[in-house]
Amino acid sequence: MTEHATAFEPLDPADLERAGFDTVIVSGVDMQGRLFGKRMSPRRFRALLTEGLHICTCVYSWDIDQGLGLEVEFAGAHTGWQDFRLVPDPATLRPAAWLDSTAICLADSVDEHTGEPLPVAPRTILRNQVDSFLAAGYEPYAATELEFYLYLGTPAELRKRRYQDLEPTTLVHADYNIGEGNQMEPFFRKVRHALEASGIPVEVSQVEYGLGQWEINLEYTSAIASADRHVLFKQAVKDLAAANGMTATFMPRPVTDDLGSSCHIHASLRDHAGGTPFFDPGGDRGMSAVLGNAVAGVLQHTADLMLWYAPTINSARRIGSQDFAGNGLTWGFDNRTTTCRVLTGEPSATRLEFRLPGADVNPYLALAGMLGSMRRGIADGADPGKPAAGDAYGESHDEFPSTLAEAAERFLSSDFAAETFGSDVVRHYHAVARYEWRQFMQSVTDWERIRYFEGI
């Protein structure tokens, strides 16, 4: 992943009709990293630029299926299900080029009356960490590498089959193979063109190892813009797949016997003069002490923040494997068997790659966790220790929480998480995860029936 940023020029709200747009989507991001919001005409969009949309707080108070059994302090029957406001960020107004004559604008979630950012909103959580870095003289940059599986059949068709008998879009392991990529190129050309036309520049796309698995890398940019691109990318891929008779899933392990899907996150810093604090020509392979401190911070606080790096029940299926999914408190130079892979070379390309997160992460929360950890590591002058050489999986390492329940309790008890993100945020996301775990534990799975139905 080369470190170069493509300039993005937002659309002018006054010129939407002349540019051919008749619909604008104003969208926030929910706790799972999904888009929510409303559609309107360009005229109406201009009228609400300042005040924003009035949205029920249920979007930050229900589970992934929009069930209302989740109880959180922020909102619910005890608050009367009050509104908040979704205020457009004009700097994000862009074509949704995969839809007809439609523009999309991401928005910030603010209190209905005070206009203060909602503490539990993912974009707020990330912005707070970015602002802390800016105050310290650094601007964080990031890029995500998302893998996903692509299956034949629309989402409605697969849902009716209860996601059984899935037909993958590749039938052999074809990592990097051009031939299998050529067979799907008509679709992926549409994806790349739509993303580029939407101000979401693509670095590369490729076939991945799993049957039906693909990867698209986005160019690096500032941290919030990177998270914005990530969620828009996912929506575009899902929409285009459905329009072409297919279904894309970002589950970290959709099938038992194949490779998991990751979201490797690359991060670097710039100082206010445009310098590259992660690079030191006198350091080991060009690695600066600041980069070492940042790596140490990420590793030291990974266990506390597993709730954001592995946020679903399915996350554990990938984390517990050796599918290049991170491996204890390890780091190394260009070593894919570690949790933090350090890449050096050109000053602007020197960065850390966090390999633990899966494709199910909310990018705002995962990036916020990384940045908060990096900032603490830099402030403390934390020591990452010696880099791993060779196969880091062959060594014994400290274990991370291995289930969503363990991750939730570790998050709740973490002084670091409370100090960095606020105790209200910690309690909120702990409650969400605890509820998800209870739902899982109350459900009988196909595996259990196959395992126990006759044998007991």
Side-chain angles (χ1 to χ4, degrees):
M1 177 171 292
T2 54
E3 294 258 345
H4 61 279
T6 300
F8 166 65
E9 291 293 333
L11 296 171
D12 184 345
D15 289 337
L16 288 170
E17 290 93 343
R18 284 192 292 273
F21 297 100
D22 59 25
T23 301
V24 181
I25 299 172
V26 174
S27 178
V29 178
D30 71 7
M31 294 183 293
Q32 289 78 30
R34 302 173 300 184
L35 300 180
F36 68 87
K38 299 182 181 182
R39 287 172 166 81
M40 64 207 68
S41 68
R43 173 193 61 78
R44 184 58 189 152
F45 172 71
R46 287 188 291 269
L48 58 76
L49 267 172
T50 302
E51 180 180 355
L53 294 169
H54 298 266
I55 303 285
C56 178
T57 46
C58 60
V59 298
Y60 293 126
S61 308
W62 55 29
D63 69 3
I64 194 168
D65 276 340
Q66 298 194 355
L68 295 173
L70 172 63
E71 295 181 0
V72 292
E73 298 172 20
F74 168 69
H78 61 286
T79 67
W81 293 109
Q82 78 278 24
D83 276 352
F84 68 93
R85 285 190 289 128
L86 197 59
V87 179
D89 179 354
T92 70
L93 181 61
R94 63 199 343 120
W98 65 97
L99 303 173
D100 292 337
S101 305
T102 300
I104 190 166
C105 188
L106 294 175
D108 289 303
S109 301
V110 305
D111 185 89
E112 172 81 350
H113 304 292
T114 68
E116 291 296 312
L118 290 187
V120 301
R123 211 164 185 256
T124 301
I125 293 169
L126 176 56
R127 190 182 300 280
N128 288 341
Q129 297 309 308
V130 170
D131 287 347
S132 293
F133 259 118
L134 293 173
Y138 299 116
E139 181 173 6
Y141 282 75
T144 57
E145 296 178 345
L146 263 175
E147 297 169 344
F148 58 96
Y149 277 82
L150 188 63
Y151 294 102
L152 301 179
T154 65
E157 291 167 347
L158 268 57
R159 190 178 303 116
K160 289 177 182 176
R161 300 207 309 259
R162 299 183 65 82
Y163 308 104
Q164 299 295 315
D165 303 318
L166 298 171
E167 298 181 54
T169 47
T170 56
L171 298 177
V172 296
H173 296 303
D175 198 5
Y176 296 114
N177 284 9
I178 298 300
E180 282 73 16
N182 289 343
Q183 296 173 31
M184 290 296 296
E185 177 59 9
F187 171 73
F188 281 99
R189 182 185 291 114
K190 292 179 184 178
V191 172
R192 292 195 306 273
H193 288 180
L195 292 172
E196 293 281 350
S198 303
I200 308 168
V202 173
E203 179 143 303
V204 294
S205 62
Q206 68 170 80
V207 189
E208 259 294 343
Y209 183 85
L211 303 188
Q213 190 181 37
W214 303 82
E215 179 177 336
I216 296 180
N217 300 342
L218 305 180
E219 288 187 6
Y220 104 118
T221 185
S222 58
I224 295 175
S226 181
D228 290 344
R229 288 178 179 179
H230 179 119
V231 294
L232 291 167
F233 158 79
K234 284 182 67 175
Q235 189 67 56
V237 168
K238 288 184 174 184
D239 289 347
L240 286 167
N244 286 271
M246 293 180 288
T247 299
T249 179
F250 291 86
M251 283 181 68
R253 186 181 284 280
V255 292
T256 299
D257 53 357
D258 215 336
L259 205 68
S261 289
S262 68
C263 175
H264 299 152
I265 303 176
H266 295 249
S268 63
L269 298 177
R270 300 288 183 270
D271 62 29
H272 289 341
T276 53
F278 279 1
F279 177 76
D280 178 359
D284 187 8
R285 308 194 200 187
M287 177 180 179
S288 72
V290 173
L291 176 51
N293 302 151
V295 168
V298 169
L299 293 176
Q300 287 174 6
H301 301 295
T302 293
D304 285 355
L305 304 180
M306 281 294 288
L307 185 58
W308 285 353
Y309 301 147
T312 67
I313 299 294
N314 189 247
S315 301
R317 316 297 186 216
R318 172 181 168 274
I319 296 295
S321 72
Q322 293 190 6
D323 294 350
F324 304 106
N327 181 27
L329 303 181
T330 58
W331 74 278
F333 291 103
D334 193 15
N335 189 331
R336 287 182 170 86
T337 68
T338 62
T339 295
C340 274
R341 176 180 175 228
V342 171
L343 296 154
T344 59
E346 291 297 320
S348 63
T350 298
R351 64 198 186 273
L352 70 86
E353 177 192 29
F354 189 41
R355 298 181 59 79
L356 184 141
D360 55 342
V361 293
N362 181 324
Y364 299 91
L365 301 179
L367 269 170
M370 280 185 67
L371 295 183
S373 300
M374 288 165 53
R375 188 164 51 85
R376 177 64 68 87
I378 293 169
D380 292 347
D383 182 2
K386 293 182 180 180
D391 183 6
Y393 281 111
E395 305 171 14
S396 177
H397 299 294
D398 294 336
E399 293 293 328
F400 297 136
S402 60
T403 67
L404 187 63
E406 292 175 11
E409 297 312 311
R410 180 67 179 260
F411 188 66
L412 182 64
S413 64
S414 168
D415 291 336
F416 167 76
E419 293 165 3
T420 306
F421 309 109
S423 57
D424 51 349
V425 170
V426 169
R427 290 193 303 272
H428 187 86
Y429 282 90
H430 168 263
V432 173
R434 184 179 58 187
Y435 180 80
E436 185 76 0
W437 181 257
R438 283 203 307 266
Q439 298 303 106
F440 171 67
M441 292 303 294
Q442 292 169 4
S443 301
V444 178
T445 66
D446 288 344
W447 183 90
E448 291 170 276
R449 276 187 287 268
I450 293 170
R451 187 83 167 181
Y452 303 127
F453 199 93
E454 292 183 60
I456 291 178

